[in-house]
Amino acid sequence: MAEKLRLMHVHAHPDDESSKGAASTAKYVAEGVDVHVVTCTGGERGSILNPQFKHPGIEDNPELITLIRREEMDRARSILGITQDWLGFVDSGWPEGDPKPPLPEGCFGLKSVEEAAEPLVRLIRSFKPHVLTTYDENGGYPHPDHIMCHKISVEAYEAAADPTRYPDAGEPWQVSKLYYHLGWSWERMEAIAKAMEAHGLENPYAERFKDWERKPEDEARLTTRVECAEYFPVRDAALLAHATQIDPDGWFFAVPHEIQAEAWPSEDYQLVDSKVETSIPETDLFAGLR
């Protein structure tokens, strides 16, 4: 293609862009691709997950949490070399209890898909991505904001090219490919466990994934493996920028980079729809577009 390639990631919260696909993002940025992240919410209801993070009164002050998480996003954005927009919706929080309580009034998870997709359609038509990524129908994990992020991404992917839909949101644009992020698979866990054992190290994920059930249908979703081990350090630096959320001594960083590169050097995706000819398996989100 004569024009510069463009990639858009749609994420639910600040930090998701760094925990999902950040190494492949850094790889594409280094290759000269324009990468734009859309963040649906401000992460206002996110808990402080890093026990080392200290800021007096933060957990009782939503406005302060919002400000700090925006500052964290600024740092991560700079590390990854991306541009970014906020959709401006309010974090739904993670409902806990049995039964779970209703979601807070006005939150992202309670918006209508049609309403919430409009600003994303507007951004797609403005940025004109060739490739769009988001979460699967389960949100990657069933957080209400992740599930809504999936819904509006699929809606916007389809609607952005249709001049009869959202007619006031800019000139229509056809995104060429839609992908879902695939993160922790059974195969990946097994590969890392074997590599750690081969190096005489304990598998740090053993307890966390001890009840993982292998499902061939889930493994069959993997269509595209983007090798990006060279950029694992960039991914980790971007993650650490989100200091409220990421414990530097936590499980994200428990496997040395060289073992990660040996066991599973890629970030993985499912090709959901393509308007260009490609063949599976792929090694590039832009297969068929270059």
Side-chain angles (χ1 to χ4, degrees):
M1 293 183 64
E3 66 176 316
K4 195 170 187 179
L5 293 169
R6 294 180 296 275
L7 170 62
M8 177 179 280
H9 298 304
V10 187
H11 286 292
H13 309 107
D15 78 68
D16 288 327
E17 84 297 326
S18 298
S19 61
K20 301 164 188 67
S24 46
T25 289
K27 167 189 166 71
Y28 284 123
V29 168
E31 292 176 356
V33 174
D34 274 348
V35 183
H36 191 78
V37 165
V38 178
T39 311
C40 295
T41 79
E44 298 88 351
R45 291 190 169 95
S47 301
I48 307 302
L49 301 179
N50 178 7
Q52 301 184 44
F53 185 88
K54 306 296 181 187
H55 197 298
I58 185 172
E59 292 187 331
D60 301 318
N61 189 338
E63 291 183 3
L64 183 56
I65 291 177
T66 301
L67 176 63
I68 290 174
R69 296 204 71 181
R70 281 182 173 267
E71 291 172 348
E72 291 173 347
M73 185 70 232
D74 287 346
R75 289 193 290 273
R77 184 172 61 232
S78 176
I79 290 166
L80 292 172
I82 59 173
T83 54
Q84 183 248 353
D85 272 297
W86 304 90
L87 287 194
F89 296 109
V90 176
D91 189 346
S92 304
W94 177 250
E96 294 185 277
D98 187 15
K100 291 186 176 183
L103 295 179
E105 183 177 350
C107 71
F108 181 47
L110 292 180
K111 296 292 183 184
S112 75
V113 173
E114 183 176 6
E115 174 193 358
E118 192 275 343
L120 181 55
V121 170
R122 191 176 296 277
L123 286 173
I124 289 172
R125 290 176 176 174
S126 172
F127 181 68
K128 297 179 171 57
H130 301 99
V131 173
L132 184 82
T133 77
T134 190
Y135 315 136
D136 66 18
E137 64 278 4
N138 297 311
Y141 79 108
H143 190 295
D145 289 338
H146 283 242
I147 292 171
M148 181 58 77
C149 178
H150 158 80
K151 290 178 178 178
I152 71 165
S153 298
V154 173
E155 163 79 1
Y157 171 78
E158 295 171 349
D162 186 344
T164 69
R165 302 177 68 184
Y166 304 95
D168 298 325
E171 291 296 315
W173 173 258
Q174 177 68 71
V175 182
S176 296
K177 302 177 83 175
L178 173 66
Y179 287 92
Y180 295 159
H181 288 276
L182 300 179
W184 298 93
S185 66
W186 193 95
E187 283 185 299
R188 183 183 177 198
M189 290 301 93
E190 182 184 48
I192 290 174
K194 287 182 176 179
M196 292 289 281
E197 183 179 344
H199 287 271
L201 300 172
E202 184 178 347
N203 174 19
Y205 305 141
E207 183 65 24
R208 188 178 184 90
F209 295 100
K210 68 177 181 180
D211 296 323
W212 192 292
E213 180 184 355
R214 186 169 192 173
K215 296 180 180 179
E217 63 270 24
D218 288 345
E219 294 173 24
R221 300 181 75 147
L222 198 164
T223 63
T224 310
R225 295 183 60 171
V226 179
E227 293 210 3
C228 50
E230 178 183 352
Y231 298 94
F232 287 168
V234 182
R235 172 203 64 194
D236 288 0
L239 263 174
L240 288 168
H242 293 281
T244 56
Q245 303 296 297
I246 304 298
D247 182 355
D249 297 326
W251 66 278
F252 268 116
F253 312 107
V255 178
H257 287 152
E258 58 270 21
I259 294 180
Q260 291 182 48
E262 172 191 327
W264 203 268
S266 67
E267 289 179 336
D268 306 332
Y269 299 83
Q270 177 189 1
L271 176 62
V272 181
D273 188 55
S274 181
K275 308 301 182 186
V276 297
E277 186 175 344
T278 186
S279 58
I280 303 301
E282 297 176 324
T283 58
D284 181 11
L285 298 181
F286 296 97
L289 285 164
R290 292 192 187 269

